């Protein structure tokens, strides 16, 4: 057989099946369509899982972005609150300054009252003017009163304006903070929705993985059962053919000297090279048992050095499995109990033209063509 075809087949099966270690399911009858259907189902599930994985990754990215936005907004809220706290302190300072200015005015009134002496009108400013000694003193006192009134009025106005301005700034910042808090609440709500969606996607991932694993176990069981069925059918056919050719067993043509017509690099080419007595037109590896028996060669399940071992489709060849269509053939170089050492060729090996040596067990389960 073409070992490259064999290895590709085994690789695809391994990629689809995986190493679950699950025991075979009790399947009584299996066809290639059963296997194909399960493989198709598994592939669809794998595509769905790929989509679910992409969705989880996308949601993770969105949640990360929301977390960043929430952090940034929280920082902005803290900054705004710091400014509001600062304005509160400034407003409190303005109140103190206004109170201080009021105290100053009160002290000024007391001072004028002392200068005016006994009150005449009950108004410190008027009394201060009325007690002037002359016109010049009166004008001086008017100027003093006007100066004090103007200075106090300006100071009070400045303090009040500052207080009003600070109040407006405080209201603006409080409005900004309210918007920031609302934005943060929206971000937190959005994040909660994303987390819920991610949880749903993760649950979908888990469910798909369970289905895929179940399909892997089923597929492995189907393939094993199918291989056993094929091997049993081949063995029954071989037994029937061998029984018919018992009378001619050992009375066969030796094909040595006929050359090698098998394609170079195939397992059949290698065996023909090392066992030139085999026929040139025996077909694929899995057909050699029937072809040899038909020519009168002894074919049985007894391993022997110098015999050709035939692996039917689906049979294990040590670490790999014979192609279900072409099978495989090799040359026996040693027998040890129920184990054999074989040499073989094929495109899948590092040396297609051989020899490639391998030791395998369960030797009595294979067909052997004897010279």
């Amino acid at each position: 057989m073409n070992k490259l075809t064999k290895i590709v087949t085994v690789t695809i099966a391994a990629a689809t099946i995986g190493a679950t270690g699950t025991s075979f399911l009790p399947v009584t009858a299996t066809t290639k369509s059963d296997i194909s259907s399960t493989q198709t189902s598994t592939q669809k599930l794998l595509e769905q899982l790929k989509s679910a994985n992409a969705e989880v990754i996308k949601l993770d990215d969105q949640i990360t972005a929301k977390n960043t936005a929430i952090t940034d907004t929280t920082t902005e809220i803290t900054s705004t609150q710091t400014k509001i706290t600062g304005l509160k302190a400034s407003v409190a300072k303005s109140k103190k300054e206004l109170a201080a200015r009021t105290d100053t005015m009160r002290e000024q009134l007391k001072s004028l009252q002392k200068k005016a002496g006994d009150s005449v009108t009950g108004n410190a400013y008027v009394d201060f003017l009325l007690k002037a000694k002359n016109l010049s003193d009166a004008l001086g006192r008017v100027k003093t009163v006007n100066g004090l009134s103007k200075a106090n009025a300006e100071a009070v106005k400045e303090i009040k304006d500052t207080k009003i301005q600070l109040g407006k700034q405080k209201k603006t910042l409080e409005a900004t903070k309210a918007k920031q808090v609302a934005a943060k609440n929206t971000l937190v709500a959005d994040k909660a929705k994303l987390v819920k969606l991610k949880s749903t996607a993760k649950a979908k991932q888990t469910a798909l993985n369970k289905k895929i694993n179940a399909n892997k176990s089923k597929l492995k069981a189907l393939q094993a059962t199918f291989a056993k069925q094929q091997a049993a059918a081949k063995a029954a056919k071989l037994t029937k053919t061998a029984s018919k050719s018992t009378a001619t067993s050992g009375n066969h043509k030796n094909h040595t000297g006929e050359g090698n017509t098998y394609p170079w690099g195939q397992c059949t080419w290698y065996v023909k090279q090392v066992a030139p007595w085999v026929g040139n037109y025996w077909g694929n590896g899995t057909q050699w048992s029937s072809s040899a028996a038909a020519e009168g060669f002894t074919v049985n399940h007894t391993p022997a050095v110098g015999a050709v071992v035939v692996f039917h489709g689906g049979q294990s060849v040590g670490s790999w499995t014979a192609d279900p269509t072409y099978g495989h053939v090799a040359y026996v170089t040693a027998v040890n109990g129920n184990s054999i050492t074989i040499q073989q060729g094929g495109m899948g090996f590092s040396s297609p033209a051989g020899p490639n040596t391998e030791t395998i067990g369960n030797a009595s389960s294979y067909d052997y063509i004897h010279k």
Side-chain angles (χ1 to χ4, degrees), residues 1-3 259-276 278-288 308-310 326-331 343-347 352:
M1 75 174 267
N2 185 324
K3 192 163 187 295
N260 190 343
T261 61
Y262 294 104
W264 181 91
Q266 300 300 313
C267 60
T268 49
W269 181 89
Y270 174 77
V271 173
K272 176 63 176 174
Q273 285 295 103
V274 296
V278 303
N280 264 313
Y281 302 101
W282 285 2
N284 297 317
T286 192
Q287 297 170 319
W288 275 33
V308 174
V309 58
V310 178
Y326 302 108
H328 182 61
V329 289
Y331 187 70
Q343 289 185 343
Q344 56 202 326
M347 296 303 294

Side-chain angles (χ1 to χ4, degrees), residues 43-361:
Q43 189 58 43
K44 288 181 179 179
L45 289 172
L46 288 170
E47 290 297 326
Q48 292 176 30
L49 180 60
K50 180 180 178 181
S51 176
N53 289 342
E55 181 66 16
V56 170
I57 292 172
K58 178 183 176 182
L59 290 169
D60 272 333
D61 290 341
Q62 291 178 344
I63 290 172
T64 298
K66 291 295 180 184
N67 282 333
T68 300
I70 290 171
T71 300
D72 292 343
T73 304
T74 301
T75 301
E76 291 174 358
I77 291 172
T78 300
S79 175
T80 302
Q81 183 57 52
T82 299
K83 292 177 182 178
I84 291 173
T85 301
L87 284 175
K88 286 181 178 179
S90 297
V91 170
K93 181 180 178 182
S94 296
K95 288 182 179 179
K96 287 182 179 180
E97 289 178 351
L98 186 59
R101 173 55 61 179
T102 302
D103 290 340
T104 299
M105 291 172 64
R106 189 177 292 110
E107 292 300 320
Q108 289 174 346
L109 287 173
K110 288 180 180 179
S111 177
L112 288 176
Q113 187 65 47
K114 288 179 181 179
K115 290 181 178 180
D118 296 333
S119 175
V120 176
T121 65
N123 187 306
Y125 289 105
V126 174
D127 289 342
F128 178 68
L129 292 175
L130 291 176
K131 294 296 181 76
K133 296 178 180 179
N134 50 47
L135 181 58
S136 177
D137 184 29
L139 291 174
R141 291 192 178 203
V142 169
K143 185 176 180 180
T144 298
V145 169
N146 287 340
L148 288 173
S149 297
K150 183 179 179 182
N152 286 327
E154 289 176 351
V156 170
K157 183 177 183 303
E158 182 178 350
I159 293 171
K160 286 182 177 180
D161 288 346
T162 299
K163 182 180 177 182
I164 292 171
Q165 197 64 31
L166 291 172
K168 289 180 179 179
Q169 291 178 16
K170 181 172 174 285
K171 286 183 179 180
T172 299
L173 287 173
E174 287 174 341
T176 299
K177 179 185 174 183
K179 290 180 180 179
Q180 291 170 339
V181 170
K184 179 182 177 181
N185 290 338
T186 299
L187 289 170
V188 170
D190 289 344
K191 176 188 172 182
K193 292 177 182 178
L194 290 171
V195 170
K196 186 176 181 180
L197 288 173
K198 179 183 174 182
S199 177
T200 301
K202 292 286 285 184
K204 184 177 180 180
Q205 275 183 321
T206 301
L208 286 169
N209 274 318
K210 287 182 178 179
K211 289 182 180 179
I212 290 170
N213 287 332
N215 266 27
K216 288 176 181 178
S217 298
K218 180 181 178 182
L219 183 59
K220 189 173 181 179
L222 288 171
Q223 289 176 323
T225 302
F226 184 65
K228 288 180 179 179
Q229 289 173 182
Q230 279 196 318
K234 295 285 185 181
K237 183 178 179 181
L238 179 60
T239 300
K240 183 177 180 180
T241 303
S243 64
K244 289 181 179 180
S245 61
T246 301
T248 59
S249 180
N251 183 18
H252 55 73
K253 181 180 179 180
N254 189 323
H255 297 281
T256 302
E258 295 180 357
N260 190 343
T261 61
Y262 294 104
W264 181 91
Q266 300 300 313
C267 60
T268 49
W269 181 89
Y270 174 77
V271 173
K272 176 63 176 174
Q273 285 295 103
V274 296
W277 48 269
V278 303
N280 264 313
Y281 302 101
W282 285 2
N284 297 317
T286 192
Q287 297 170 319
W288 275 33
S289 297
S290 298
S291 297
E295 286 194 11
F297 284 86
T298 299
V299 180
N300 54 34
H301 295 296
T302 304
V305 174
V308 174
V309 58
V310 178
F311 300 92
H312 294 292
Q315 282 192 307
S316 173
V317 187
S319 60
W320 51 279
T321 305
D323 184 271
T325 301
Y326 302 108
H328 182 61
V329 289
Y331 187 70
V332 180
T333 59
V335 178
N336 183 14
N338 200 29
S339 295
I340 56 172
T341 299
I342 60 174
Q343 289 185 343
Q344 56 202 326
M347 296 303 294
F349 292 107
S350 59
S351 177
N356 301 282
T357 304
E358 190 168 2
T359 298
I360 59 177

